[in-house]
Amino acid sequence: DTAVSQTPKYLVTQMGNDKSIKCEQNLGHDTMYWYKQDSKKFLKIMFSYNNKELIINETVPNRFSPKSPDKAHLNLHINSLELGDSAVYFCASSPLLAGVGTDTQYFGPGTRLTVL
Amino acid sequence: KNEVEQSPQNLTAQEGEFITINCSYSVGISALHWLQQHPGGGIVSLFMLSSGKKKHGRLIATINIQEKHSSLHITASHPRDSAVYICAVGWGVQKLVFGQGTRLTINP
């Protein structure tokens, strides 16, 4: 009964490729997020989606595009992958239509992306 | 300078010791979060607080809004508490900023 799941867990790919990471939550939450954790373990928010509407884009390159087919899914598409995209990407969800910083979040297990 | 600073960055202690991790921030906030990242990488939300104090088992989180400071305490620490503890602050609708994390190691 995984609450927030991500696939794949590991992704190794060549520079220039296009890849996607999928995220699903079965908690009935309204809001979902994507975070990037770099090699120094620093977490940064990338996107937030509320009821399929983008409400945050934290200066992320437009090679990254979130896609939300429904409230339970938020996928991350990355075009023209670069070496600097190597990181762990976490999906998360939270219950309410609240500000991004004001609600408890539930995290997925992470996807480790390695760009060669 | 990051808007959220944690101290210490690394902490090693013996089993049973009382642990304190500090978080200072420089902006007015709506809420402060404490997260735990296990050695395997998974992240768990421990607390969200906007005032006062919260307790869950051996974990206690406090926040002083005037001083822009929060502490996470662990009583009777155990090796399974070994993890990275991350402070994050949120304000408005579109801001959530994370500290750099504190790596805690509890030796048996």
Side-chain angles (χ1 to χ4, degrees):
Chain A
D1 282 1
T2 305
V4 183
S5 59
Q6 293 179 230
T7 53
K9 191 169 173 61
Y10 300 96
L11 183 53
V12 181
T13 188
Q14 299 286 332
M15 253 181 14
N17 284 349
D18 303 336
K19 289 293 177 185
S20 294
I21 306 171
K22 295 187 176 181
C23 178
E24 177 180 2
Q25 54 97 0
N26 62 8
L27 298 167
H29 289 169
D30 280 337
T31 310
M32 296 182 71
Y33 313 84
W34 276 108
Y35 294 92
K36 179 180 180 181
Q37 186 174 44
D38 61 24
S39 57
K40 295 184 179 176
K41 302 292 188 182
F42 228 122
L43 272 163
K44 290 192 106 173
I45 189 167
M46 299 175 70
F47 298 104
S48 174
Y49 251 74
N50 182 69
N51 280 330
K52 297 171 62 177
E53 290 187 27
L54 179 66
I55 58 174
I56 287 180
N57 181 342
E58 286 285 318
T59 64
V60 173
N62 58 14
R63 297 182 296 105
F64 291 78
S65 55
K67 296 278 194 311
S68 182
D70 55 58
K71 196 171 84 164
H73 295 85
L74 181 64
N75 303 324
L76 183 65
H77 298 272
I78 316 171
N79 294 325
S80 303
L81 277 155
E82 299 177 358
L83 293 176
D85 298 333
S86 295
V88 180
Y89 293 83
F90 286 95
C91 175
S93 71
S94 63
L96 299 174
L97 177 56
V100 69
T102 60
D103 208 353
T104 298
Q105 299 192 21
Y106 298 78
F107 286 82
T111 295
R112 182 174 294 277
L113 171 65
T114 303
V115 182
L116 303 176
Chain B
K1 188 177 190 298
N2 197 28
E3 291 151 309
V4 182
E5 293 285 341
Q6 288 185 235
S7 63
Q9 289 193 27
N10 294 283
L11 177 57
T12 300
Q14 290 300 121
E15 184 173 355
E17 286 188 37
F18 182 80
I19 302 299
T20 296
I21 299 170
N22 297 300
C23 176
S24 297
Y25 51 93
S26 57
V27 293
I29 66 169
S30 302
L32 183 141
H33 303 255
W34 281 103
L35 308 172
Q36 180 192 54
Q37 186 165 27
H38 298 288
I43 298 175
V44 174
S45 178
L46 298 175
F47 296 103
M48 184 187 67
L49 62 166
S50 54
S51 65
K53 176 179 172 178
K54 287 190 176 179
K55 185 176 189 291
H56 185 254
R58 295 179 295 106
L59 300 177
I60 303 165
T62 63
I63 188 168
N64 185 319
I65 297 295
Q66 288 73 31
E67 294 186 3
K68 293 187 168 61
H69 180 269
S70 175
S71 293
L72 176 68
H73 305 286
I74 305 175
T75 61
S77 60
H78 189 277
R80 65 175 175 264
D81 297 326
S82 297
V84 176
Y85 292 84
I86 302 168
C87 170
V89 299
W91 65 96
V93 177
Q94 300 185 11
K95 262 305 204 187
L96 182 65
V97 177
F98 294 82
Q100 77 274 38
T102 295
R103 184 175 298 278
L104 174 66
T105 303
I106 304 294
N107 293 320

